[in-house]
Every structure is written in C-alpha cells, then in structure tokens.
C-alpha cells in the first residue's frame, strides 16, 4: 500500500490505516521514493518500535512516507542541533540541555502569561463581533505568542515565520519555494542567535547560550525545531479540538457542566485527533522482530499515531469522542526517547485555551456548515485552514 493523508470525515484516520489496524497492524508499505518498508497501525507495535534503540531516527537512513519537495540544499545527514533526527548520545545531549530550560519557575510564569494572553485574544474576538475565524484570531495567535516569548522572537515578526513555516510544512509546494522558505527561516533564526549572544534576555536561546558551548549552527537548528513545532501543532490542535467539541454537542455539554473534566478532555482531543499525519519514521539498524513480524536491517518503519490511538485493544470504543475517558497513555506526543519535549507546555495552552473559550462564549457554534470547513490534508500537521464561529 501507499500512505494517504486524506482523513475519513473530519476527525478519523484514513480508511486504509484503520482497516490495516484491524487486520494487519504491521503491514508492507511503499514509500514515496519507491522504498518498500512498513507501516505500523497497532498501539502495542507502535510503542515497541518507538521504544527500541535498534530503530534509528537518523534522517539519512529514512525515506519519505508521502511525496514532498525537498530543499535544494538538503544534506544527507541532519545538521548539528536537529536533535529529532539524531540518535543517542547526540540526541540526549541536546535534549538534556533543553529540559534544563523548561524550569518549574518558567512554566509557572508562562501559565500565568498564557492566561493573560488568552483573555486578550478573546477580548479581541469580541471586538470583531460574531462571526469570526477562530483559527486566525484565537488558535494561531496564542501558541505563536508563546513560542515568541520562549525564544525571544519579536511578535511583530510573526507574519514572516508563519508564512515560511506554512510553505515548508506543505506537501504541495515546489522545491524552489520550500528551499526559499527554509533558507529565509534559517537566516532569520541565525540572526536571532547572534543577537542573543550580544544581548541576552530571559528566554530559552539566551539560556542555552549561557549553559553550553553550542555553535550558531546548533542553536539555529534547535530554534528551528522549537519554532516550527511550537506553534503549528498547538494552533491546529486548539482549532480542531474546538471543531470536535462543536460537532459533539453532548461532549461539549458535559464539559460545560463539569469543568473538572478539562484535563481529561485535553488528553482525549490529543488521542482522538492525532494531528500528525504520518507519525515518526524509524530505520532498522539490524533485523528486528516486532509483534511476530521480521523487519530487516535497513528497512524503514512509519508509525501511524492516528491509527494506533484508535486501537480497541488499548482504548475501549476508540471511535467515540468521550471527554470523560481516561486517555492517558495515548501516543499523541509520540513515545520513547523522542517523545515531544514541549508536551507539558502544549497541555497548558490547550487547557487554558479551551477553558477560557467556553467560559467567554457559552453560545459558541459553527458559523457555517461543517462540510464547508477546509481541512489540512495537504500539510504535515492536520487541522483546519479556518474555523468560522459565532456566539
């Protein structure tokens, strides 16, 4: 089979991956460049692959799951600092440095700041009056403001990095456009790194410069990962999660009736929606048997987090969206040593965002038929291009 990013309905994984999960949780897959590897759709098999050091995250060993333009300057191996494509010990060295920047003090201050920013975005939406685009005016600005605060990026520069991130993340752009976006973003972040060396502030880049002897190239790669992952994913999770709540009025009513459900509701949206289209890919460094299937050395395995999070062996009635469910253990943030570094920050943004949105707009509803909402099948991160709402 080849992999599709076109979801079933608004929220369900592609039909083929759902079928495979029921019949063949580790199946043959043809990658975009013709490489014959594997796709994993079962929960247990997904955890096994992601936790096994015999599967490598190194970029030069992997193959693209779906057709996508590469940058003209793309090197065979990931550059220094691009730690999601490194194995240990290099990966662990960078990760340990970053974990040291997510201090209890910083997270506490950020939580208070996120609450303030969220209230300000809701004020702005009210001034626009109903209807308004929830994605443009709420879901995208909040994580963009947060990542700007974390990295010390001027929020006035957001239009540039949001444009470059969008182009770089799209499946349909040309090699020339992807290259231009990548180079533009890298140049901007490299300039930011140099600025932080001479004018440090209370942000992650300044903290990394003070804590370790990292090169400009390493810091630029780290900033690139944090910037791209830090706003695209949370923005789409916030918008798509709101869409899911509005399309499941009984779940929305339950959450409104008992706000203590909010943390569980956040976990359920992460499980149910699984916004990363094609999950982590790993290359076998030797022959490895997973759930009775032999993956040979050199073969690449792609994990479908969306399918694995719908596995009934792990989550009873997985096709149901249930804010009262105990969804702990979902793979929305991945698993193993490469599990999402910013997951706690994302949870704070989602919890604060959903809570404040529902309190401010008790009559929140879609402002157009659900079928008219344009979905991001053609991007690395699933979500909506716009979410018109009324209140």
């Amino acid at each position: 089979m080849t992999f599709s990013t076109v979801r079933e309905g608004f929220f369900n994984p592609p039909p083929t991956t759902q079928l495979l999960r029921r019949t063949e949780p580790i199946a043959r897959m043809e990658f975009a460049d013709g490489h014959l590897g594997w796709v994993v759709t079962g929960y247990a098999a997904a955890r096994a692959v992601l936790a096994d050091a015999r599967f490598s995250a190194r970029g030069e060993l992997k193959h693209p799951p779906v057709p996508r333009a590469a940058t003209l300057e793309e090197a065979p191996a990931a550059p220094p600092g691009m730690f999601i494509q490194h194995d240990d010990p290099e990966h662990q060295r960078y990760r340990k440095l970053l974990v040291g920047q997510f201090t209890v003090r910083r997270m506490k201050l950020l939580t208070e700041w996120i609450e303030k920013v969220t209230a300000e975005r809701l004020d702005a939406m009210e001034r626009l009056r109903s209807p308004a685009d929830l994605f443009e005016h709420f879901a995208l600005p909040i994580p963009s403001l947060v990542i700007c605060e974390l990295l010390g990026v001027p929020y006035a520069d957001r239009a540039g990095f949001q444009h470059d991130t969008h182009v770089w993340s799209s499946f349909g752009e040309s090699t020339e456009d992807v290259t231009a976006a990548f180079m533009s973003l890298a140049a901007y972040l490299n300039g930011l790194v140099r600025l932080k060396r001479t004018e440090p502030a209370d942000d992650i880049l300044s903290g990394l410069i003070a804590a370790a002897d990292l090169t400009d190239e390493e810091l630029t790669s780290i900033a690139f990962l944090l910037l791209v992952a830090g706003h695209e994913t949370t923005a789409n999770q916030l918008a798509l999660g709101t869409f899911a709540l509005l399309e499941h009025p009984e779940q929305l009513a339950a959450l409104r009736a008992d706000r203590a459900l909010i943390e569980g509701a956040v976990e359920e949206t992460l499980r149910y929606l699984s916004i990363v289209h094609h999950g982590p890919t790993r290359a076998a460094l030797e022959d490895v048997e997973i759930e009775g299937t032999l993956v040979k050395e050199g073969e690449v395995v792609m994990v479908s987090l969306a399918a694995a999070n719908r596995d009934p062996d792990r989550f009873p009635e997985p096709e149901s969206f249930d804010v009262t469910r105990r969804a702990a253990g979902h793979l929305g943030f991945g698993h193993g040593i490469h599990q999402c570094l910013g997951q706690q920050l994302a949870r704070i943004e989602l919890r604060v965002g959903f809570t404040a949105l529902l309190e401010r707009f008790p009559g929140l509803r879609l402002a157009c038929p659900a079928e008219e909402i344009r979905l991001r099948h053609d991007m690395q991160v699933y979500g909506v291009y716009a979410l018109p709402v009324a209140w």
Side-chain angles (χ1 to χ4, degrees):
M1 65 158 279
T2 56
F3 185 75
S4 171
T5 60
V6 179
R7 305 249 179 152
E8 185 177 47
F10 307 118
F11 312 117
N12 298 321
T16 304
T17 59
Q18 295 197 82
L19 176 63
L20 286 176
R21 190 196 63 237
R22 293 190 291 267
T23 61
E24 198 177 357
I26 305 178
R28 276 297 187 186
M29 170 181 162
E30 183 178 348
F31 286 70
D33 60 1
H35 172 83
L36 191 62
W38 302 89
V39 58
V40 171
T41 54
Y43 179 87
R47 281 177 59 95
V49 168
L50 296 177
D52 196 325
R54 293 174 294 177
F55 287 100
S56 173
R58 284 159 48 198
E60 72 271 23
L61 301 179
K62 298 189 289 188
H63 297 264
V66 297
R68 178 179 178 269
T71 60
L72 293 169
E73 290 81 6
E74 208 162 79
M82 196 67 68
F83 59 92
I84 64 169
Q85 293 188 35
H86 292 169
D87 294 336
D88 284 346
E90 293 87 357
H91 161 265
Q92 186 59 30
R93 179 170 72 91
Y94 293 120
R95 189 179 182 94
K96 189 174 181 179
L97 287 170
L98 275 164
V99 167
Q101 296 301 312
F102 286 88
T103 61
V104 173
R105 170 186 168 273
R106 175 168 275 150
M107 297 304 286
K108 182 178 184 298
L109 290 174
L110 270 174
T111 300
E112 296 169 355
W113 189 78
I114 289 167
E115 290 170 346
K116 176 176 175 290
V117 165
T118 300
E120 290 172 351
R121 295 314 310 167
L122 290 170
D123 290 343
M125 275 187 67
E126 278 197 297
R127 288 194 295 271
L128 287 171
R129 299 190 179 182
S130 175
D133 178 7
L134 185 96
F135 184 79
E136 178 184 357
H137 299 294
F138 183 75
L140 181 59
I142 291 173
S144 296
L145 280 160
V146 172
I147 201 63
C148 285
E149 179 76 3
L150 270 177
L151 292 178
V153 173
Y155 187 57
D157 296 345
R158 68 191 182 282
F161 75 69
Q162 285 174 355
H163 170 269
D164 290 341
T165 298
H166 181 88
V167 173
W168 184 82
S169 300
S170 173
F171 296 141
E173 301 288 345
S174 67
T175 296
E176 291 74 20
D177 287 344
V178 170
T179 299
F182 177 82
M183 297 302 290
S184 171
L185 192 53
Y188 173 77
L189 292 172
N190 187 259
L192 184 67
V193 167
R194 294 198 303 271
L195 175 65
K196 295 299 176 184
R197 286 197 186 278
T198 58
E199 300 178 23
D202 186 16
D203 55 61
I204 283 183
L205 280 180
S206 298
L208 288 172
I209 290 168
D213 185 20
L214 296 172
T215 66
D216 285 3
E217 184 181 22
E218 289 175 302
L219 289 163
T220 299
S221 293
I222 291 169
F224 183 93
L225 288 175
L226 294 178
L227 182 65
V228 172
H231 78 278
E232 275 281 308
T233 50
T234 308
N236 283 284
Q237 186 72 44
L238 196 51
L240 197 64
T242 302
F243 185 18
L245 285 167
L246 295 177
E247 284 296 285
H248 295 82
E250 75 290 347
Q251 298 302 311
L252 180 58
L255 187 55
R256 286 192 186 281
D258 184 0
R259 296 300 166 81
L261 294 174
I262 185 62
E263 291 193 10
V266 166
E267 299 306 314
E268 177 66 346
T269 63
L270 290 163
R271 179 202 72 85
Y272 185 72
L273 300 173
S274 302
I275 60 172
V276 177
H277 274 306
H278 50 83
T281 53
R282 299 287 185 264
L285 297 175
E286 59 184 80
D287 290 359
V288 184
E289 186 173 302
I290 297 291
E291 300 281 298
T293 296
L294 180 64
V295 178
K296 294 185 178 180
E297 179 182 354
E299 291 185 326
V300 174
V301 177
M302 189 210 78
V303 176
S304 173
L305 300 180
N309 275 335
R310 298 292 186 93
D311 190 334
D313 289 341
R314 177 60 181 81
F315 301 103
E317 299 182 23
E319 309 303 331
S320 298
F321 179 56
D322 181 2
V323 298
T324 68
R325 181 196 302 275
R326 292 182 59 84
H330 65 76
L331 302 178
F333 291 115
H335 181 65
I337 64 169
H338 287 280
Q339 192 173 36
C340 177
L341 186 67
Q343 60 182 285
Q344 296 310 324
L345 179 59
R347 285 184 168 103
I348 293 169
E349 293 177 65
L350 294 170
R351 187 189 75 240
V352 171
F354 288 137
T355 299
L357 180 66
L358 298 184
E359 287 178 353
R360 182 68 67 94
F361 299 129
L364 190 71
R365 61 192 183 280
L366 291 178
C368 69
E371 293 72 22
E372 294 181 7
I373 293 173
R374 188 177 166 216
L375 300 165
R376 291 166 48 116
H377 299 294
D378 57 345
M379 301 290 292
Q380 292 187 53
V381 176
Y382 185 58
V384 298
Y385 280 100
L387 190 68
V389 295
W391 56 87

